[in-house]
Amino acid sequence: MDPQSLRKGPTKPTLVLLCCVGTWLAICCPSFGAPTASMIKTIVELLKLESKELYEDYLKKDAVGVPTDESLQLPCFTLGFEASTNISIIQAYLETAKRLSDNRADTANVTKRLDDIRCSNPPKPSIYEPEDFYARKIFTLTVLKRFSDCMAELKVKDRIC
Ligand SMILES: *[C@@H]1O[C@H](CO)[C@@H](O)[C@H](O)[C@H]1NC(C)=O
Ligand SMILES: *[C@@H]1O[C@H](CO)[C@@H](O)[C@H](O)[C@H]1NC(C)=O
């Protein structure tokens, strides 16, 4: 066998297996396993509903006629161990939007719910914060819209592990 190919590290299926035998199994599989898969489903259903409400409320209340920022892209995710990094980034954006909107966009509940579908706790990135009042509205509206679009697309399989 070519020794070079051995050094490339595990292929994707092996990685998943290693995760499930180790950390993922210990931390995530109990909560993603069959008995509680319906719980994850419920959390995701709530997230879909609440993210849409947050966006529509903020739009109506504080951002009529405010455009979204096409250059501001949030990551999206599919459920599983690898989603944790993206979920952390989304949480950092949601927390920033809450602060920059003076709590007018109250993202505390959805941010907390995202904790429940995350397998690990990667460091949160620092987010660029606009200074200007109007730019902050654009930021907040865009974050809420991207988040609710992402939740609308999110599907839950019957078995994640
Ligand atoms: C994380 O986000 C990036 C950028 O949007 C995306 O390409 C990637 O597929 C996401 N990863 C997961 C595990 O969902
Ligand atoms: C957040 O959750 C609490 C307790 O469940 C609820 O009373 C509150 O209205 C929620 N806030 C928002 C903004 O949805």
Side-chain angles (χ1 to χ4, degrees), residues 87-97 99 124-127:
I87 293 176
S88 274
I89 297 170
I90 294 170
Q91 287 178 311
Y93 273 106
L94 289 170
E95 281 165 5
T96 306
R99 192 156 30 79
K124 295 222 172 91
S126 59
I127 304 293

Side-chain angles (χ1 to χ4, degrees), residues 68-135:
T68 51
D69 177 358
E70 291 312 311
S71 71
L72 176 56
Q73 294 296 333
L74 256 61
C76 207
F77 61 91
T78 47
L79 282 172
F81 185 76
E82 289 175 349
S84 299
T85 306
N86 284 7
I87 293 176
S88 274
I89 297 170
I90 294 170
Q91 287 178 311
Y93 273 106
L94 289 170
E95 281 165 5
T96 306
K98 180 175 191 289
R99 192 156 30 79
L100 294 190
S101 71
D102 285 324
N103 298 331
R104 298 280 292 174
D106 188 352
T107 58
N109 288 0
V110 288
T111 305
K112 182 130 199 326
R113 270 195 218 295
L114 285 171
D115 279 339
D116 297 334
I117 56 168
R118 206 181 52 182
C119 301
S120 64
N121 193 5
K124 295 222 172 91
S126 59
I127 304 293
Y128 167 75
E129 299 184 8
E131 300 279 336
D132 168 70
F133 182 71
Y134 190 67

Side-chain angles (χ1 to χ4, degrees), residues 16 38-39 63 70 81 83 130 132 156 161:
V16 170
S38 69
M39 219 181 81
E70 291 312 311
F81 185 76
D132 168 70
V156 185
C161 284

